[in-house]
Amino acid sequence: MSKTYQVVGIGNAIVDVLTQSDDSFLELMGIQKGIMQLVERERGEMLYGAMKDRTQAPGGSVANTLAGLGNLGLKTGFIGRVHDDALGQFYAREMAVGGTDFVNPPVPGGELPTSRSMIFVSPDGERSMNTYLGISAELGPEDVADDVAGQAEILFLEGYLYDKPKGKEAFERAVKVCRDAGGKTGIALSDPFCVDRHRDDFRRLVRELDYVIGNSHEWESLYQTDLSSALEQAAADSGLIVCTRSGDDVVLVKGDEQVSVPVNKVVPVDATGAGDQFAAGFLYGYATGQELAICGAMGNAAAAEVISHFGARPETDLKVLFQQKGLI
């Protein structure tokens, strides 16, 4: 019996608000360059007000990945939480336009506002993200419907959700429902600090889930050792591990099989979304039963496309791109 969704993602529903700014502006505003910082509502509103010529797009790591999968023609659904305000309505509408079912309607009433990330992009393509989590941090198990998680061939989870007890419960429930219905489940580790905060839980997840995606810093943080030792331990623990390294080969390990997939180095216009679109390419390969090397090459191709322009979602037809590269 075929399922409603090939991939369902669960994560933070965040509106990305982007602007270009130089290093002196970042210094003036006390923004740390190149990292993601959580901000309180008041600072979020102040930074939002300081942005000139801002553009907005639906964001959040897993949601960006789903947009890439939608571009590739897979049937996708997203479990997330937005407020019934202008940004929340924008978010739900844009996800639907991109071909992903936004399964939970915007929440009315006295809840927190829709989450937003103020992203300042420097001339060198580095992004400095200031995220006000708002309502998406309130995502809980009640937001996970059986007919969504249970109707997913593959479930993709965002590590950041572990920062709130309710998010963690939503996560665990989605995994159980998906697995009980015969689906596969996996996670993106999200960032090294997130890994530091939840090391024990994430190590358990590496053992329990079907696949885990992380970059070299995240894997090193998880096992508190150098990369090759970390990957060796991870491979012994997990069904399938994927490690991306900035400007270097991607490593995929499944049991005794290990492959390195080279990347074509490109100078980024905007590095936003590189990891998210790598995940989209990889998951497309995984969902369609490709071998490891092809899954990795699809990830690399999707990541290269997204860093060649402003914004975190693909602008070209990724399937055509994969065909041009001989991947499908």
Side-chain angles (χ1 to χ4, degrees), residues 218-238:
E218 289 155 6
W219 285 114
E220 287 170 345
S221 168
L222 186 61
Y223 289 97
Q224 295 174 290
T225 181
D226 63 273
L227 185 62
S228 64
S229 307
L231 293 184
E232 209 170 292
Q233 288 185 57
D237 281 351
S238 176

Side-chain angles (χ1 to χ4, degrees), residues 1-3 5-6 146 148-155 174-185 210 286:
M1 185 193 89
S2 85
K3 300 201 171 204
Y5 301 108
Q6 286 160 292
D146 283 5
V148 178
Q151 281 294 319
E153 288 174 21
I154 296 170
L155 184 69
V175 168
K176 184 176 181 341
V177 172
C178 179
R179 291 206 122 163
D180 287 352
K184 294 229 189 316
T185 57
D210 296 290
Y286 186 64

Side-chain angles (χ1 to χ4, degrees), residues 2-324:
S2 85
K3 300 201 171 204
T4 311
Y5 301 108
Q6 286 160 292
V7 181
V8 166
I10 175 168
N12 286 309
I14 299 173
V15 177
D16 283 343
V17 188
L18 295 114
T19 191
Q20 287 170 304
S21 62
D22 57 23
D23 291 1
S24 60
F25 176 84
L26 298 181
E27 209 170 302
L28 177 73
M29 303 303 285
I31 295 167
Q32 259 188 287
K33 186 175 176 177
I35 66 162
M36 196 284 282
Q37 280 186 305
L38 294 178
V39 297
E40 295 302 319
R41 188 168 177 173
E42 201 174 310
R43 177 157 170 82
E45 284 171 358
M46 186 273 287
L47 290 174
Y48 186 75
M51 300 179 93
K52 292 188 178 67
D53 301 326
R54 51 179 183 239
T55 56
Q56 64 184 41
S61 180
V62 163
N64 289 338
T65 298
L66 292 171
L69 289 166
N71 175 299
L72 283 158
L74 294 196
K75 294 179 292 182
T76 56
F78 180 53
I79 299 168
R81 196 171 173 89
V82 297
H83 187 67
D84 192 11
D85 52 18
L87 280 180
Q89 289 161 8
F90 164 79
Y91 194 96
R93 198 167 55 239
E94 287 294 308
M95 288 299 287
V97 167
T100 293
D101 280 357
F102 188 74
V103 298
N104 300 325
V107 182
E111 293 239 14
L112 293 167
T114 295
S115 315
R116 70 220 43 191
S117 182
M118 281 64 71
I119 303 174
F120 298 87
V121 183
S122 316
D124 60 4
E126 275 285 347
R127 65 212 163 113
S128 309
M129 303 167 73
N130 298 264
T131 305
Y132 166 60
L133 278 179
I135 195 175
S136 74
E138 298 301 308
L139 183 84
E142 68 283 356
D143 294 308
V144 179
D146 283 5
D147 61 356
V148 178
Q151 281 294 319
E153 288 174 21
I154 296 170
L155 184 69
F156 183 47
L157 306 151
E158 186 174 302
Y160 287 130
L161 279 184
Y162 256 71
D163 279 334
K164 284 281 183 88
K166 278 170 73 175
K168 191 171 164 178
E169 286 170 36
F171 206 101
E172 301 285 351
R173 175 172 152 68
V175 168
K176 184 176 181 341
V177 172
C178 179
R179 291 206 122 163
D180 287 352
K184 294 229 189 316
T185 57
I187 186 176
L189 293 174
S190 294
D191 95 354
F193 304 109
C194 187
V195 173
D196 284 339
R197 293 191 292 269
H198 308 293
R199 188 171 285 111
D200 292 345
D201 274 323
F202 282 2
R203 282 204 188 173
R204 173 179 60 80
L205 289 170
V206 170
R207 289 192 295 275
E208 291 176 2
L209 300 179
D210 296 290
Y211 65 92
V212 182
I213 304 172
N215 66 29
S216 52
H217 305 301
E218 289 155 6
W219 285 114
E220 287 170 345
S221 168
L222 186 61
Y223 289 97
Q224 295 174 290
T225 181
D226 63 273
L227 185 62
S228 64
S229 307
L231 293 184
E232 209 170 292
Q233 288 185 57
D237 281 351
S238 176
L240 169 59
I241 63 155
V242 182
C243 175
T244 58
R245 299 179 291 173
S246 185
D248 207 341
D249 291 10
V250 171
V251 179
L252 301 94
V253 189
K254 185 178 188 180
D256 295 333
E257 185 188 358
Q258 175 167 338
V259 298
S260 283
V261 185
V263 298
N264 285 333
K265 289 185 185 172
V266 283
V267 178
V269 172
D270 169 19
T272 315
D276 304 338
Q277 294 314 320
F278 173 86
F282 163 78
L283 284 171
Y284 177 77
Y286 186 64
T288 55
Q290 308 298 324
E291 57 193 58
L292 288 189
I294 298 287
C295 294
M298 286 175 163
N300 286 343
E305 189 282 335
V306 82
I307 65 174
S308 71
H309 57 75
F310 207 50
R313 300 189 170 195
E315 287 183 351
T316 52
D317 185 326
L318 292 179
K319 213 173 224 180
V320 170
L321 184 69
F322 290 179
Q323 281 162 345
Q324 286 165 352

